[in-house]
Amino acid sequence: MATKTRQILLHERPKGLPDKNTFAFKHVEIDEPAEGEALLQMIYISVDPYMRGRMDDRESYVPPFPLHKPIAGGAIAKVLKSRDDSLNEGDYVTGNLPWQQYVNVSASDVRKVQAEAAPVSAYLSAVGMPGLTAYFGTLSIGQPKEGETFVISGGAGAVGSLAGQIAKMQGARVVGIAGTDEKLDYMKSIGFDEVINYKTEDLTKAIKRTCPDKVDVYFDNVGGEMSDIVLDHLNKFARVVQCGAISTYNDPDNYGPRVQFKLIKSSALMKGFIVGDYADEFDEATKQLAAWVASGDLQYEETILTGFDRIPEAFIGLFTGRNTGKLLVDVSQ
């Protein structure tokens, strides 16, 4: 018997910030799962900044989303029917899944999550892609040491809040940058040593105030003018972890100062990365993240909107600072 479902399609490529015209809803029917497939009900859908780049028709590290097709991203789903021995009814799985309420997938395209090890939503936050991004960016590239100063832009976000805590575990002094007093309070509550509200403070003065010995590691999620300023305060042999540049994703004409002289002057290392670079190490890192969550050493926050219709709203909210921690949409109802 066919299953009715709704999809969210990329209706048009946005110019600047996406809006309601970027998306279109469609009703479709899907057949029973074929051999080797499972019928999934979507539970949580993740919205992530990198998805904005895929809405443009340009070359990147992942192909652009095709027009008039369902947008796809990280999701947690529940198995309703299975025609593959590796999945059972009631299992929870995660994968790169389309924005729709129900979907048939090949069992090989998803992986089971251990619901007893952590809440299932955590596999899209602290134990999922944001956690892995924070883990590898901090430990493999940033390599903070005891007593060093570790600065994070987007410090209250899904990745930044976790990176700061991981840096604290290494003995670093952590400074977080965010845009509301509520986010500053959150960063303090998870152990950040200093916090900066970039909307109410002069950022140059704030960096001098909070980083009197300058910056040893800069974990950058934001880019733009904020990062231009932080790069002026790098210590000798500093490391810059280039994780994201969300301030420029909706402004293709955003150009800033050249960074070469700043890097030469500080003998700094600046490395960009995507989490998939470390795919061979995911299993080990996931186990460590889950253990830290279970022990309480790694705290995390989730901003959850409810309702399939609110996925576009949630996605747009990424670029207006709506979320503290990971932004998810509960589509189970």
Side-chain angles (χ1 to χ4, degrees):
M1 185 173 67
T3 300
K4 294 180 180 179
T5 187
R6 286 190 300 161
Q7 303 173 321
I8 299 178
L9 317 179
L10 180 62
H11 177 62
E12 63 181 28
R13 301 198 185 279
K15 292 179 172 50
L17 183 68
D19 58 27
K20 63 181 182 179
N21 297 316
T22 304
F23 310 95
F25 287 79
K26 183 179 180 181
H27 289 79
V28 297
E29 290 188 350
I30 56 176
D31 296 326
E32 289 287 298
E35 190 69 32
E37 291 186 337
L39 172 64
L40 307 181
Q41 178 189 2
M42 222 65 74
I43 305 298
Y44 291 105
I45 285 179
S46 173
V47 291
D48 296 285
Y50 82 89
M51 301 173 79
R52 173 60 185 85
R54 296 193 67 188
M55 292 178 174
D56 295 330
D57 188 12
R58 59 184 171 84
E59 185 177 352
S60 184
Y61 57 87
V62 285
F65 292 127
L67 281 172
H68 313 304
K69 300 290 185 182
I71 295 168
I76 297 289
K78 187 176 183 179
V79 177
L80 298 184
K81 297 178 184 177
S82 176
R83 295 192 62 192
D84 188 278
D85 292 341
S86 66
L87 294 177
N88 297 312
E89 183 179 329
D91 284 344
Y92 287 94
V93 298
T94 185
N96 191 66
L97 301 172
W99 283 3
Q100 56 191 70
Q101 295 165 303
Y102 300 92
V103 64
N104 288 323
V105 299
S106 171
S108 62
D109 289 338
V110 294
R111 60 185 177 88
K112 283 195 241 186
V113 301
Q114 304 301 317
E116 66 278 4
V120 293
S121 62
Y123 288 89
L124 293 174
S125 56
V127 192
M129 185 181 70
L132 292 167
T133 303
Y135 181 94
F136 292 115
T138 301
L139 299 179
S140 296
I141 302 174
Q143 301 181 12
K145 300 174 182 64
E146 183 81 31
E148 288 191 327
T149 298
F150 186 98
V151 175
I152 313 166
S153 60
V159 172
S161 60
L162 300 172
Q165 293 177 78
I166 294 171
K168 284 291 292 181
M169 294 179 197
Q170 314 311 307
R173 180 175 172 275
V174 174
V175 179
I177 306 173
T180 70
D181 289 340
E182 291 77 14
K183 291 181 179 181
L184 267 57
D185 289 342
Y186 173 62
M187 291 189 292
K188 291 177 183 175
S189 76
I190 58 176
F192 285 23
D193 297 283
E194 296 280 358
V195 294
I196 297 170
N197 186 332
Y198 74 91
K199 291 185 178 178
T200 61
E201 293 188 74
D202 179 289
L203 190 55
T204 298
K205 292 179 180 177
I207 292 293
K208 290 180 178 179
R209 171 179 63 80
T210 59
C211 306
D213 297 321
K214 294 192 172 183
V215 178
D216 299 294
V217 183
Y218 178 41
F219 196 114
D220 186 17
N221 295 295
V222 173
E225 184 179 0
M226 180 184 299
S227 295
D228 296 338
I229 292 171
V230 178
L231 292 176
D232 282 329
H233 297 84
L234 296 179
N235 259 328
K236 193 78 170 177
F237 305 120
R239 287 82 70 200
V240 179
V241 184
Q242 198 58 53
C243 178
I246 194 171
S247 69
T248 66
Y249 291 166
N250 296 303
D251 185 4
D253 297 322
N254 184 296
Y255 299 101
R258 275 58 170 178
V259 301
Q260 288 87 344
F261 178 71
K262 300 182 184 189
L263 299 179
I264 294 168
K265 182 175 68 172
S266 59
S267 300
L269 168 72
M270 185 177 191
K271 183 177 180 181
F273 78 108
I274 57 173
V275 70
D277 297 342
Y278 298 91
D280 291 345
E281 302 173 57
F282 277 7
D283 287 347
E284 180 183 349
T286 299
K287 289 177 184 176
Q288 179 62 79
L289 291 164
W292 281 337
V293 167
S295 67
D297 291 330
L298 190 63
Q299 301 176 58
Y300 65 99
E301 185 81 9
E302 295 171 343
T303 300
I304 300 178
L305 305 186
T306 301
F308 187 78
D309 291 347
R310 300 187 73 184
I311 296 174
E313 173 193 345
F315 181 76
I316 295 168
L318 284 171
F319 304 99
T320 58
R322 176 166 190 161
N323 58 302
T324 298
K326 185 72 188 78
L327 185 53
L328 302 172
V329 185
D330 182 343
V331 297
S332 61
Q333 303 302 318

